[in-house]
Amino acid sequence: MRQAIEDRIGTSHGTSTMRGSIHAGGPAEHPVPGTRVPAHTTLLHEGDPARRIMEVAEGAVMLTKLLPDGRRQVVELLGPGDMFGLACGDAYACSAETLTASLVVPHERGALERDAALAARLLRRFESQLCTMHAHALALGRMSALERVAFFLLRLMPEPAPGAPRDGSVHIAMTRQEIADFLGLTLETVSRAFSELKRRGLVALLRADEVRIRDRGSMQRLAGAA
Amino acid sequence: MRQAIEDRIGTSHGTSTMRGSIHAGGPAEHPVPGTRVPAHTTLLHEGDPARRIMEVAEGAVMLTKLLPDGRRQVVELLGPGDMFGLACGDAYACSAETLTASLVVPHERGALERDAALAARLLRRFESQLCTMHAHALALGRMSALERVAFFLLRLMPEPAPGAPRDGSVHIAMTRQEIADFLGLTLETVSRAFSELKRRGLVALLRADEVRIRDRGSMQRLAGAA
DNA sequence: CGACTGTTTGACTTGGTTCAATGTACGTGG
DNA sequence: CCACGTACATTGAACCAAGTCAAACAGTCG
């Protein structure tokens, strides 16, 4: 099994196992506030003993679960402020992998009793992550492939700040396979949905991983903005 | 739209809107520790302004989300100790409905700052609910119909206490439609899955809402006990 | 320029949905 | 006590959205 780098986070320097080519610079520079981790690095493994709760300070992390036969579900996409490393019992419930170069801050579980501010922050964040999971469950359980992909793209590009710069394009730091595992589809179906959204003029595909939303209203209608 | 009884919870007596026939006794007896609510009562509505966090003290509650066209997803099943009434922004993210007669305790959001013990309890519970949602996402995104139903049944009947009384039967306080909305299927598919599990001898159906697990190992294998 | 990795598209198959009866438990009132 | 009505569950047959298998295409790197 691939080695997670959990043990090296927050201690000294962090080397890492990576997928494909090496993206980011060298090992961690900041010993205390957190650890810099390159893209495509496994941070922890489902089933390993749960010791610490981790915070994404910068970057993007995905949480995944596996079925014994290898089917994979990306259960959550995390950004700055989000927490991971949750345990059911004493083992991690999910594996965690960076999507982009990230800064990760570990929190000892024992610190929660002592640090009320951290506990309050964690509470707010858990509430928000729980709401996001509810929306994700609705998408997985009841939306069509096209609707799920619209939902996904809106999630990546939340709102154009009021009166702010017009919709730029988003860089999608995930492969079609990863998006499919997030949405409960196959990569082919995701690809077809992208093409269909493009054909309908709701979206422009600059590159495979560079998307621009052209018709936000229609996208929201597709994604079931209640 | 149906009226939620939120406003009457924790105040005086609680009448309620109900589905089908009236099940439970009269209005609430205990004014302070919580409110007794009969089965099939809507406790709060998705989209309503979020004021309080609620705790299930006794009974069973389901959280649901709707798509504009009426498709429904049961996003969470709650039992004693679980919390609901979460907000994305300032509105409830889900509707909540009792499955059985229940005792519900409201907590003012402001109380979290003052009551550290409550905050700690809430934190632990949110962590556990988040883990459950992760497992649910795996089921919704990657499991077949049969696997999802096995997963659901195991969830209702967690573990036979070590050395404790042999597997009794569980009463399922949900219709096939509600189970389907929980598992992202149709009621017909859920029904066929029950029949198939019975045909394979993994399960015995005493009545439509009374199930006994006959072969826990096979059920766990189906549900992907990792 | 290849070689590689990931994406798109096409043709075919299939698990689950849809539509349509039929079956079954339960409560009510004659 | 039994006939009837209602609500829910089961089963069957036809259909379709998404999956599977397979091939061609497009960037990127050495």
Short mmCIF file of all heavy atoms in Angstrom, two decimals, chain D residues 1-23:
data_model
loop_
_atom_site.label_atom_id
_atom_site.label_comp_id
_atom_site.label_asym_id
_atom_site.label_seq_id
_atom_site.Cartn_x
_atom_site.Cartn_y
_atom_site.Cartn_z
P DC D 1 -64.91 -12.74 15.95
OP1 DC D 1 -64.55 -13.96 15.31
OP2 DC D 1 -64.07 -11.57 16.09
"O5'" DC D 1 -66.38 -12.31 15.47
"C5'" DC D 1 -67.25 -13.37 15.12
"C4'" DC D 1 -67.75 -13.14 13.69
"O4'" DC D 1 -68.29 -11.80 13.60
"C3'" DC D 1 -66.66 -13.25 12.62
"O3'" DC D 1 -67.17 -13.99 11.50
"C2'" DC D 1 -66.35 -11.81 12.25
"C1'" DC D 1 -67.68 -11.09 12.52
N1 DC D 1 -67.54 -9.68 12.99
C2 DC D 1 -68.24 -8.67 12.34
O2 DC D 1 -68.97 -8.96 11.37
N3 DC D 1 -68.12 -7.39 12.75
C4 DC D 1 -67.34 -7.10 13.80
N4 DC D 1 -67.25 -5.82 14.19
C5 DC D 1 -66.61 -8.12 14.49
C6 DC D 1 -66.74 -9.37 14.06
P DC D 2 -66.10 -14.49 10.33
OP1 DC D 2 -66.47 -15.89 9.96
OP2 DC D 2 -64.72 -14.18 10.74
"O5'" DC D 2 -66.52 -13.56 9.12
"C5'" DC D 2 -67.90 -13.43 8.77
"C4'" DC D 2 -68.09 -12.20 7.92
"O4'" DC D 2 -67.83 -11.01 8.70
"C3'" DC D 2 -67.15 -12.10 6.69
"O3'" DC D 2 -67.94 -11.66 5.61
"C2'" DC D 2 -66.12 -11.06 7.13
"C1'" DC D 2 -67.00 -10.13 7.96
N1 DC D 2 -66.32 -9.25 8.94
C2 DC D 2 -66.68 -7.90 9.02
O2 DC D 2 -67.57 -7.46 8.26
N3 DC D 2 -66.07 -7.09 9.94
C4 DC D 2 -65.13 -7.60 10.73
N4 DC D 2 -64.56 -6.77 11.62
C5 DC D 2 -64.74 -8.97 10.66
C6 DC D 2 -65.34 -9.74 9.76
P DA D 3 -67.45 -11.81 4.11
OP1 DA D 3 -68.38 -12.75 3.42
OP2 DA D 3 -66.01 -12.08 4.13
"O5'" DA D 3 -67.72 -10.36 3.53
"C5'" DA D 3 -69.04 -9.84 3.49
"C4'" DA D 3 -68.96 -8.36 3.15
"O4'" DA D 3 -68.26 -7.68 4.23
"C3'" DA D 3 -68.20 -8.04 1.87
"O3'" DA D 3 -68.87 -6.98 1.21
"C2'" DA D 3 -66.82 -7.62 2.37
"C1'" DA D 3 -67.15 -6.97 3.70
N9 DA D 3 -66.11 -7.04 4.72
C8 DA D 3 -65.37 -8.13 5.07
N7 DA D 3 -64.53 -7.90 6.06
C5 DA D 3 -64.74 -6.56 6.37
C6 DA D 3 -64.17 -5.72 7.33
N6 DA D 3 -63.22 -6.10 8.19
N1 DA D 3 -64.60 -4.45 7.39
C2 DA D 3 -65.57 -4.05 6.53
N3 DA D 3 -66.19 -4.76 5.59
C4 DA D 3 -65.72 -6.02 5.56
P DC D 4 -68.49 -6.46 -0.22
OP1 DC D 4 -69.75 -6.12 -0.89
OP2 DC D 4 -67.54 -7.45 -0.79
"O5'" DC D 4 -67.71 -5.10 0.08
"C5'" DC D 4 -68.32 -4.10 0.89
"C4'" DC D 4 -67.26 -3.11 1.31
"O4'" DC D 4 -66.38 -3.70 2.27
"C3'" DC D 4 -66.37 -2.62 0.16
"O3'" DC D 4 -66.60 -1.23 -0.01
"C2'" DC D 4 -64.94 -2.96 0.61
"C1'" DC D 4 -65.12 -3.11 2.12
N1 DC D 4 -64.14 -3.99 2.82
C2 DC D 4 -63.39 -3.46 3.89
O2 DC D 4 -63.54 -2.29 4.23
N3 DC D 4 -62.51 -4.27 4.53
C4 DC D 4 -62.37 -5.54 4.15
N4 DC D 4 -61.50 -6.30 4.83
C5 DC D 4 -63.12 -6.09 3.07
C6 DC D 4 -63.98 -5.29 2.43
P DG D 5 -65.90 -0.40 -1.17
OP1 DG D 5 -66.84 0.61 -1.67
OP2 DG D 5 -65.24 -1.37 -2.09
"O5'" DG D 5 -64.76 0.38 -0.36
"C5'" DG D 5 -65.13 1.15 0.78
"C4'" DG D 5 -63.88 1.81 1.35
"O4'" DG D 5 -63.09 0.84 2.05
"C3'" DG D 5 -62.97 2.42 0.28
"O3'" DG D 5 -62.52 3.69 0.76
"C2'" DG D 5 -61.84 1.41 0.13
"C1'" DG D 5 -61.78 0.77 1.52
N9 DG D 5 -61.40 -0.64 1.52
C8 DG D 5 -61.81 -1.62 0.63
N7 DG D 5 -61.31 -2.80 0.92
C5 DG D 5 -60.53 -2.58 2.05
C6 DG D 5 -59.75 -3.49 2.80
O6 DG D 5 -59.59 -4.70 2.63
N1 DG D 5 -59.12 -2.85 3.87
C2 DG D 5 -59.22 -1.52 4.17
N2 DG D 5 -58.56 -1.08 5.23
N3 DG D 5 -59.96 -0.66 3.48
C4 DG D 5 -60.57 -1.26 2.43
P DT D 6 -61.66 4.68 -0.13
OP1 DT D 6 -62.22 6.03 0.07
OP2 DT D 6 -61.55 4.08 -1.47
"O5'" DT D 6 -60.22 4.65 0.55
"C5'" DT D 6 -60.12 4.70 1.97
"C4'" DT D 6 -58.72 4.27 2.37
"O4'" DT D 6 -58.62 2.84 2.35
"C3'" DT D 6 -57.62 4.80 1.44
"O3'" DT D 6 -56.71 5.56 2.21
"C2'" DT D 6 -57.00 3.54 0.84
"C1'" DT D 6 -57.34 2.49 1.89
N1 DT D 6 -57.41 1.08 1.39
C2 DT D 6 -56.75 0.10 2.09
O2 DT D 6 -56.10 0.33 3.09
N3 DT D 6 -56.88 -1.16 1.59
C4 DT D 6 -57.60 -1.53 0.46
O4 DT D 6 -57.65 -2.71 0.10
C5 DT D 6 -58.27 -0.46 -0.24
C7 DT D 6 -59.06 -0.76 -1.47
C6 DT D 6 -58.15 0.78 0.26
P DA D 7 -55.52 6.42 1.56
OP1 DA D 7 -55.46 7.75 2.22
OP2 DA D 7 -55.63 6.30 0.08
"O5'" DA D 7 -54.23 5.62 2.02
"C5'" DA D 7 -54.10 5.21 3.37
"C4'" DA D 7 -52.96 4.22 3.45
"O4'" DA D 7 -53.40 2.95 2.91
"C3'" DA D 7 -51.75 4.66 2.60
"O3'" DA D 7 -50.59 4.48 3.38
"C2'" DA D 7 -51.79 3.73 1.39
"C1'" DA D 7 -52.46 2.49 1.97
N9 DA D 7 -53.18 1.68 0.98
C8 DA D 7 -53.98 2.11 -0.04
N7 DA D 7 -54.51 1.14 -0.76
C5 DA D 7 -54.02 -0.01 -0.15
C6 DA D 7 -54.21 -1.37 -0.43
N6 DA D 7 -54.97 -1.83 -1.43
N1 DA D 7 -53.58 -2.26 0.38
C2 DA D 7 -52.82 -1.81 1.38
N3 DA D 7 -52.58 -0.55 1.74
C4 DA D 7 -53.21 0.31 0.92
P DC D 8 -49.19 5.04 2.89
OP1 DC D 8 -48.59 5.69 4.06
OP2 DC D 8 -49.36 5.75 1.61
"O5'" DC D 8 -48.39 3.70 2.61
"C5'" DC D 8 -48.42 2.68 3.60
"C4'" DC D 8 -48.10 1.34 2.96
"O4'" DC D 8 -49.15 0.93 2.07
"C3'" DC D 8 -46.82 1.35 2.12
"O3'" DC D 8 -45.90 0.48 2.75
"C2'" DC D 8 -47.27 0.84 0.75
"C1'" DC D 8 -48.57 0.13 1.08
N1 DC D 8 -49.54 0.03 -0.05
C2 DC D 8 -49.98 -1.24 -0.45
O2 DC D 8 -49.55 -2.24 0.13
N3 DC D 8 -50.87 -1.34 -1.47
C4 DC D 8 -51.32 -0.24 -2.07
N4 DC D 8 -52.20 -0.39 -3.06
C5 DC D 8 -50.89 1.06 -1.67
C6 DC D 8 -50.01 1.15 -0.67
P DA D 9 -44.48 0.10 2.15
OP1 DA D 9 -43.59 -0.26 3.27
OP2 DA D 9 -44.10 1.13 1.18
"O5'" DA D 9 -44.82 -1.24 1.36
"C5'" DA D 9 -45.35 -2.34 2.07
"C4'" DA D 9 -45.32 -3.57 1.20
"O4'" DA D 9 -46.37 -3.49 0.22
"C3'" DA D 9 -44.02 -3.81 0.44
"O3'" DA D 9 -43.66 -5.17 0.66
"C2'" DA D 9 -44.37 -3.49 -1.02
"C1'" DA D 9 -45.87 -3.76 -1.07
N9 DA D 9 -46.63 -2.90 -1.97
C8 DA D 9 -46.67 -1.53 -1.97
N7 DA D 9 -47.48 -1.02 -2.88
C5 DA D 9 -48.00 -2.14 -3.51
C6 DA D 9 -48.91 -2.29 -4.56
N6 DA D 9 -49.49 -1.26 -5.19
N1 DA D 9 -49.23 -3.54 -4.95
C2 DA D 9 -48.66 -4.57 -4.32
N3 DA D 9 -47.78 -4.56 -3.31
C4 DA D 9 -47.49 -3.30 -2.96
P DT D 10 -42.36 -5.82 0.01
OP1 DT D 10 -41.92 -6.93 0.89
OP2 DT D 10 -41.46 -4.72 -0.36
"O5'" DT D 10 -42.94 -6.46 -1.33
"C5'" DT D 10 -43.84 -7.54 -1.22
"C4'" DT D 10 -44.33 -7.93 -2.60
"O4'" DT D 10 -44.96 -6.81 -3.22
"C3'" DT D 10 -43.23 -8.40 -3.57
"O3'" DT D 10 -43.52 -9.75 -3.87
"C2'" DT D 10 -43.39 -7.48 -4.79
"C1'" DT D 10 -44.81 -6.95 -4.62
N1 DT D 10 -45.11 -5.61 -5.19
C2 DT D 10 -46.01 -5.51 -6.20
O2 DT D 10 -46.58 -6.46 -6.70
N3 DT D 10 -46.23 -4.23 -6.65
C4 DT D 10 -45.66 -3.06 -6.16
O4 DT D 10 -45.94 -1.97 -6.63
C5 DT D 10 -44.72 -3.23 -5.09
C7 DT D 10 -44.03 -2.05 -4.49
C6 DT D 10 -44.48 -4.48 -4.66
P DT D 11 -42.45 -10.69 -4.61
OP1 DT D 11 -42.74 -12.08 -4.21
OP2 DT D 11 -41.12 -10.10 -4.43
"O5'" DT D 11 -42.86 -10.52 -6.14
"C5'" DT D 11 -44.18 -10.89 -6.56
"C4'" DT D 11 -44.41 -10.43 -7.97
"O4'" DT D 11 -44.61 -9.01 -8.01
"C3'" DT D 11 -43.28 -10.71 -8.96
"O3'" DT D 11 -43.80 -11.64 -9.92
"C2'" DT D 11 -42.94 -9.35 -9.57
"C1'" DT D 11 -44.19 -8.54 -9.27
N1 DT D 11 -44.02 -7.08 -9.14
C2 DT D 11 -44.87 -6.25 -9.86
O2 DT D 11 -45.73 -6.67 -10.60
N3 DT D 11 -44.65 -4.91 -9.67
C4 DT D 11 -43.69 -4.33 -8.85
O4 DT D 11 -43.60 -3.11 -8.76
C5 DT D 11 -42.85 -5.25 -8.14
C7 DT D 11 -41.78 -4.73 -7.22
C6 DT D 11 -43.05 -6.56 -8.31
P DG D 12 -42.89 -12.24 -11.10
OP1 DG D 12 -43.36 -13.62 -11.32
OP2 DG D 12 -41.47 -11.95 -10.81
"O5'" DG D 12 -43.33 -11.36 -12.36
"C5'" DG D 12 -44.71 -11.29 -12.71
"C4'" DG D 12 -44.88 -10.40 -13.92
"O4'" DG D 12 -44.81 -9.01 -13.50
"C3'" DG D 12 -43.79 -10.56 -14.99
"O3'" DG D 12 -44.45 -10.62 -16.25
"C2'" DG D 12 -42.94 -9.30 -14.85
"C1'" DG D 12 -43.97 -8.28 -14.37
N9 DG D 12 -43.44 -7.16 -13.62
C8 DG D 12 -42.61 -7.19 -12.54
N7 DG D 12 -42.33 -6.00 -12.06
C5 DG D 12 -43.03 -5.13 -12.88
C6 DG D 12 -43.13 -3.72 -12.86
O6 DG D 12 -42.60 -2.93 -12.09
N1 DG D 12 -43.95 -3.24 -13.88
C2 DG D 12 -44.59 -4.02 -14.80
N2 DG D 12 -45.33 -3.40 -15.71
N3 DG D 12 -44.52 -5.35 -14.83
C4 DG D 12 -43.73 -5.84 -13.85
P DA D 13 -43.67 -11.02 -17.59
OP1 DA D 13 -44.53 -12.01 -18.28
OP2 DA D 13 -42.25 -11.33 -17.25
"O5'" DA D 13 -43.69 -9.66 -18.43
"C5'" DA D 13 -44.85 -8.84 -18.43
"C4'" DA D 13 -44.58 -7.62 -19.30
"O4'" DA D 13 -44.07 -6.56 -18.46
"C3'" DA D 13 -43.54 -7.85 -20.39
"O3'" DA D 13 -43.93 -7.09 -21.52
"C2'" DA D 13 -42.25 -7.34 -19.74
"C1'" DA D 13 -42.78 -6.17 -18.91
N9 DA D 13 -42.00 -5.86 -17.71
C8 DA D 13 -41.30 -6.73 -16.91
N7 DA D 13 -40.71 -6.15 -15.89
C5 DA D 13 -41.05 -4.81 -16.03
C6 DA D 13 -40.74 -3.67 -15.27
N6 DA D 13 -39.99 -3.70 -14.17
N1 DA D 13 -41.25 -2.49 -15.69
C2 DA D 13 -42.01 -2.47 -16.79
N3 DA D 13 -42.36 -3.47 -17.59
C4 DA D 13 -41.85 -4.63 -17.15
P DA D 14 -43.01 -6.94 -22.81
OP1 DA D 14 -43.93 -7.13 -23.95
OP2 DA D 14 -41.79 -7.77 -22.65
"O5'" DA D 14 -42.59 -5.40 -22.77
"C5'" DA D 14 -43.61 -4.43 -22.63
"C4'" DA D 14 -42.98 -3.05 -22.64
"O4'" DA D 14 -42.24 -2.85 -21.41
"C3'" DA D 14 -41.99 -2.81 -23.78
"O3'" DA D 14 -42.22 -1.49 -24.24
"C2'" DA D 14 -40.64 -3.01 -23.11
"C1'" DA D 14 -40.91 -2.49 -21.70
N9 DA D 14 -40.10 -3.06 -20.62
C8 DA D 14 -39.68 -4.36 -20.46
N7 DA D 14 -38.98 -4.56 -19.37
C5 DA D 14 -38.92 -3.31 -18.77
C6 DA D 14 -38.31 -2.86 -17.59
N6 DA D 14 -37.64 -3.65 -16.75
N1 DA D 14 -38.44 -1.55 -17.28
C2 DA D 14 -39.14 -0.77 -18.12
N3 DA D 14 -39.74 -1.07 -19.26
C4 DA D 14 -39.60 -2.38 -19.53
P DC D 15 -41.20 -0.76 -25.24
OP1 DC D 15 -42.03 0.16 -26.05
OP2 DC D 15 -40.36 -1.80 -25.88
"O5'" DC D 15 -40.28 0.14 -24.30
"C5'" DC D 15 -40.89 1.12 -23.47
"C4'" DC D 15 -39.82 1.85 -22.70
"O4'" DC D 15 -39.15 0.93 -21.81
"C3'" DC D 15 -38.72 2.48 -23.56
"O3'" DC D 15 -38.63 3.84 -23.18
"C2'" DC D 15 -37.47 1.67 -23.22
"C1'" DC D 15 -37.76 1.20 -21.80
N1 DC D 15 -37.09 -0.05 -21.33
C2 DC D 15 -36.41 -0.04 -20.11
O2 DC D 15 -36.35 1.01 -19.47
N3 DC D 15 -35.83 -1.18 -19.68
C4 DC D 15 -35.92 -2.31 -20.40
N4 DC D 15 -35.33 -3.40 -19.91
C5 DC D 15 -36.61 -2.34 -21.64
C6 DC D 15 -37.17 -1.21 -22.07
P DC D 16 -37.85 4.89 -24.11
OP1 DC D 16 -38.78 6.01 -24.33
OP2 DC D 16 -37.22 4.15 -25.23
"O5'" DC D 16 -36.66 5.43 -23.19
"C5'" DC D 16 -36.90 5.70 -21.80
"C4'" DC D 16 -35.56 5.76 -21.09
"O4'" DC D 16 -35.12 4.42 -20.78
"C3'" DC D 16 -34.44 6.39 -21.93
"O3'" DC D 16 -33.64 7.15 -21.05
"C2'" DC D 16 -33.68 5.15 -22.44
"C1'" DC D 16 -33.77 4.27 -21.21
N1 DC D 16 -33.54 2.81 -21.41
C2 DC D 16 -32.94 2.10 -20.36
O2 DC D 16 -32.63 2.71 -19.33
N3 DC D 16 -32.73 0.78 -20.52
C4 DC D 16 -33.09 0.17 -21.65
N4 DC D 16 -32.86 -1.13 -21.76
C5 DC D 16 -33.70 0.88 -22.73
C6 DC D 16 -33.89 2.20 -22.57
P DA D 17 -33.35 8.72 -21.23
OP1 DA D 17 -34.62 9.41 -20.95
OP2 DA D 17 -32.65 8.87 -22.52
"O5'" DA D 17 -32.33 9.05 -20.05
"C5'" DA D 17 -32.67 8.71 -18.70
"C4'" DA D 17 -31.46 8.19 -17.97
"O4'" DA D 17 -31.16 6.84 -18.40
"C3'" DA D 17 -30.18 8.99 -18.17
"O3'" DA D 17 -29.54 9.08 -16.90
"C2'" DA D 17 -29.37 8.17 -19.19
"C1'" DA D 17 -29.83 6.75 -18.90
N9 DA D 17 -29.92 5.86 -20.06
C8 DA D 17 -30.28 6.19 -21.34
N7 DA D 17 -30.32 5.17 -22.17
C5 DA D 17 -29.95 4.10 -21.38
C6 DA D 17 -29.79 2.73 -21.66
N6 DA D 17 -30.00 2.19 -22.86
N1 DA D 17 -29.41 1.92 -20.65
C2 DA D 17 -29.20 2.46 -19.43
N3 DA D 17 -29.32 3.72 -19.04
C4 DA D 17 -29.70 4.50 -20.08
P DA D 18 -28.21 9.90 -16.66
OP1 DA D 18 -28.33 10.54 -15.33
OP2 DA D 18 -27.92 10.71 -17.87
"O5'" DA D 18 -27.11 8.76 -16.55
"C5'" DA D 18 -27.28 7.75 -15.56
"C4'" DA D 18 -26.35 6.60 -15.84
"O4'" DA D 18 -26.75 5.92 -17.06
"C3'" DA D 18 -24.88 6.98 -16.03
"O3'" DA D 18 -24.13 6.19 -15.12
"C2'" DA D 18 -24.60 6.66 -17.50
"C1'" DA D 18 -25.60 5.54 -17.77
N9 DA D 18 -25.98 5.37 -19.17
C8 DA D 18 -26.33 6.32 -20.08
N7 DA D 18 -26.63 5.85 -21.26
C5 DA D 18 -26.46 4.48 -21.13
C6 DA D 18 -26.62 3.41 -22.04
N6 DA D 18 -26.99 3.57 -23.32
N1 DA D 18 -26.38 2.17 -21.58
C2 DA D 18 -26.00 2.02 -20.29
N3 DA D 18 -25.82 2.94 -19.35
C4 DA D 18 -26.06 4.17 -19.84
P DG D 19 -22.57 6.00 -15.05
OP1 DG D 19 -22.25 5.90 -13.62
OP2 DG D 19 -21.90 6.98 -15.91
"O5'" DG D 19 -22.37 4.54 -15.66
"C5'" DG D 19 -22.94 3.45 -14.98
"C4'" DG D 19 -22.56 2.14 -15.66
"O4'" DG D 19 -23.11 2.12 -16.99
"C3'" DG D 19 -21.05 1.94 -15.82
"O3'" DG D 19 -20.72 0.58 -15.55
"C2'" DG D 19 -20.79 2.29 -17.29
"C1'" DG D 19 -22.10 1.93 -17.95
N9 DG D 19 -22.40 2.82 -19.08
C8 DG D 19 -22.52 4.19 -19.06
N7 DG D 19 -22.80 4.71 -20.23
C5 DG D 19 -22.87 3.60 -21.08
C6 DG D 19 -23.16 3.52 -22.46
O6 DG D 19 -23.39 4.44 -23.26
N1 DG D 19 -23.14 2.21 -22.92
C2 DG D 19 -22.90 1.10 -22.13
N2 DG D 19 -22.93 -0.08 -22.72
N3 DG D 19 -22.64 1.16 -20.83
C4 DG D 19 -22.65 2.43 -20.37
P DT D 20 -19.19 0.10 -15.56
OP1 DT D 20 -19.11 -0.99 -14.58
OP2 DT D 20 -18.31 1.29 -15.48
"O5'" DT D 20 -18.99 -0.50 -17.02
"C5'" DT D 20 -19.78 -1.60 -17.45
"C4'" DT D 20 -19.37 -2.01 -18.84
"O4'" DT D 20 -19.80 -1.01 -19.80
"C3'" DT D 20 -17.86 -2.15 -19.04
"O3'" DT D 20 -17.64 -3.44 -19.59
"C2'" DT D 20 -17.48 -1.04 -20.02
"C1'" DT D 20 -18.80 -0.80 -20.76
N1 DT D 20 -19.04 0.57 -21.29
C2 DT D 20 -19.43 0.71 -22.60
O2 DT D 20 -19.54 -0.23 -23.37
N3 DT D 20 -19.66 2.01 -22.98
C4 DT D 20 -19.56 3.15 -22.21
O4 DT D 20 -19.80 4.25 -22.68
C5 DT D 20 -19.16 2.92 -20.84
C7 DT D 20 -19.02 4.09 -19.91
C6 DT D 20 -18.92 1.66 -20.45
P DC D 21 -16.13 -4.03 -19.73
OP1 DC D 21 -16.24 -5.48 -19.48
OP2 DC D 21 -15.21 -3.18 -18.96
"O5'" DC D 21 -15.83 -3.82 -21.29
"C5'" DC D 21 -16.79 -4.25 -22.25
"C4'" DC D 21 -16.40 -3.77 -23.63
"O4'" DC D 21 -16.79 -2.38 -23.78
"C3'" DC D 21 -14.89 -3.81 -23.91
"O3'" DC D 21 -14.71 -4.37 -25.21
"C2'" DC D 21 -14.46 -2.34 -23.84
"C1'" DC D 21 -15.73 -1.67 -24.37
N1 DC D 21 -15.89 -0.24 -24.01
C2 DC D 21 -16.42 0.64 -24.95
O2 DC D 21 -16.73 0.21 -26.06
N3 DC D 21 -16.58 1.94 -24.62
C4 DC D 21 -16.25 2.37 -23.40
N4 DC D 21 -16.43 3.66 -23.12
C5 DC D 21 -15.71 1.48 -22.41
C6 DC D 21 -15.54 0.20 -22.76
P DA D 22 -13.24 -4.67 -25.78
OP1 DA D 22 -13.37 -5.93 -26.53
OP2 DA D 22 -12.23 -4.51 -24.71
"O5'" DA D 22 -13.03 -3.48 -26.82
"C5'" DA D 22 -14.06 -3.21 -27.78
"C4'" DA D 22 -13.70 -1.97 -28.57
"O4'" DA D 22 -14.09 -0.78 -27.85
"C3'" DA D 22 -12.20 -1.82 -28.87
"O3'" DA D 22 -12.05 -1.47 -30.22
"C2'" DA D 22 -11.78 -0.69 -27.94
"C1'" DA D 22 -13.06 0.16 -27.96
N9 DA D 22 -13.16 1.13 -26.88
C8 DA D 22 -12.86 0.95 -25.56
N7 DA D 22 -13.06 2.03 -24.82
C5 DA D 22 -13.53 2.97 -25.73
C6 DA D 22 -13.93 4.30 -25.59
N6 DA D 22 -13.92 4.96 -24.43
N1 DA D 22 -14.35 4.95 -26.70
C2 DA D 22 -14.36 4.31 -27.86
N3 DA D 22 -14.01 3.04 -28.13
C4 DA D 22 -13.61 2.43 -27.00
P DA D 23 -10.67 -1.67 -31.00
OP1 DA D 23 -10.93 -2.77 -31.93
OP2 DA D 23 -9.54 -1.72 -30.03
"O5'" DA D 23 -10.52 -0.32 -31.84
"C5'" DA D 23 -11.69 0.28 -32.39
"C4'" DA D 23 -11.54 1.78 -32.34
"O4'" DA D 23 -11.71 2.25 -30.99
"C3'" DA D 23 -10.16 2.29 -32.80
"O3'" DA D 23 -10.36 3.08 -33.95
"C2'" DA D 23 -9.66 3.11 -31.60
"C1'" DA D 23 -10.95 3.43 -30.86
N9 DA D 23 -10.77 3.71 -29.45
C8 DA D 23 -10.22 2.91 -28.49
N7 DA D 23 -10.20 3.45 -27.29
C5 DA D 23 -10.78 4.69 -27.48
C6 DA D 23 -11.06 5.75 -26.60
N6 DA D 23 -10.76 5.70 -25.29
N1 DA D 23 -11.65 6.85 -27.11
C2 DA D 23 -11.94 6.88 -28.42
N3 DA D 23 -11.74 5.95 -29.35
C4 DA D 23 -11.14 4.87 -28.81
#
